């Protein structure tokens, strides 16, 4: 038995579909081969048929097409401005930051702080998730929590 490939990318799967479709392999057989190599949850039978149909209609691109949608409100300038506010006062709250930036909702502010700036809450302080040596030298270490010498 072959080894299952874990977490294949969508483009990888679509390339295989395109290749096998060019060799005139039927969609159900493509799906069966996927189940052997990628496991059943890689792509459904109906999605394989949909991609085969699109390739037969002339599609040659395996990557997703650009979609129009609501643009992201998170910009590099905004992230930098929020980072500067946090550096001014490390004992901030999401609500206090949201009051400083009224154009941003609290949920978006929380996303910026936790996902973009990689801070997490520790006691009453927000700290970077991964402390570097410069962080430790500049007083980011809380005694007894991250300091191995205590």
């Amino acid at each position: 038995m072959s080894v299952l490939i874990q977490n294949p990318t969508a483009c990888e799967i679509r390339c295989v579909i395109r290749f096998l479709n060019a060799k005139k392999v039927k969609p159900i057989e493509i799906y069966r081969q996927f189940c052997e190599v990628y496991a059943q949850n890689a792509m459904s039978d109906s999605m394989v048929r949909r991609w085969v149909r699109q390739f037969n209609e002339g599609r040659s691109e395996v990557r997703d097409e650009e979609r129009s949608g609501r643009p992201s409100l998170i910009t590099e300038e905004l992230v930098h401005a929020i980072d500067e506010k946090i550096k001014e006062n490390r004992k901030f709250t999401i609500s206090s930051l949201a009051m400083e930036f009224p154009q941003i909702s609290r949920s978006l502010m929380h996303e910026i702080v936790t996902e973009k700036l990689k801070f997490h809450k520790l006691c009453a302080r927000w700290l970077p998730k991964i402390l570097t040596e410069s962080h430790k030298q500049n007083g980011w270490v809380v005694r007894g929590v991250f300091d191995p010498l205590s």
Side-chain angles (χ1 to χ4, degrees):
M1 182 175 166
S2 62
V3 177
L4 291 179
I5 298 174
Q6 299 295 324
N7 302 324
T9 63
C11 290
E12 177 184 354
I13 292 174
R14 294 172 195 160
C15 286
V16 172
I17 292 173
R18 184 174 176 209
F19 174 76
L20 292 174
N21 185 48
K23 292 186 76 167
K24 305 293 185 207
V25 177
K26 293 184 179 185
I28 191 66
E29 185 56 34
I30 294 173
Y31 177 71
R32 285 188 189 126
Q33 290 182 24
F34 271 15
C35 291
E36 290 175 14
V37 178
Y38 293 111
Q40 287 184 333
N41 58 358
M43 186 179 278
S44 67
D45 178 38
S46 60
M47 285 302 294
V48 171
R49 282 184 276 139
R50 180 185 291 173
W51 279 100
V52 167
R53 185 172 48 251
Q54 288 181 11
F55 289 134
N56 287 338
E57 291 171 353
R59 181 176 177 146
S60 60
E61 185 63 39
V62 294
R63 290 184 176 80
D64 289 327
E65 296 172 348
E66 290 290 325
R67 294 188 279 176
S68 63
R70 190 173 184 176
S72 175
L73 297 174
I74 302 173
T75 61
E76 289 301 318
E77 295 82 23
L78 180 62
V79 172
H80 182 68
I82 292 171
D83 191 32
E84 291 300 316
K85 277 290 183 192
I86 291 172
K87 287 178 181 174
E88 288 175 15
N89 178 15
R90 284 188 272 167
K91 294 181 181 180
F92 69 92
T93 62
I94 297 294
S95 298
S96 66
L97 279 178
M99 290 174 67
E100 295 284 335
F101 299 93
Q103 73 272 21
I104 304 172
S105 67
R106 288 181 48 160
S107 60
L108 187 59
M109 182 66 69
H110 188 270
E111 180 183 335
I112 291 170
V113 170
T114 57
E115 294 177 17
K116 296 289 184 184
L117 296 174
K118 303 287 188 215
F119 281 87
H120 70 281
K121 193 168 186 177
L122 177 69
C123 300
R125 289 181 135 180
W126 286 84
L127 300 172
K129 286 186 178 179
I130 300 174
L131 293 175
T132 63
E133 286 302 318
S134 65
H135 287 130
K136 292 176 185 177
Q137 291 171 354
N138 292 330
W140 284 90
V141 178
V142 177
R143 277 268 173 226
V145 178
F146 289 106
D147 191 358
L149 301 175
S150 64

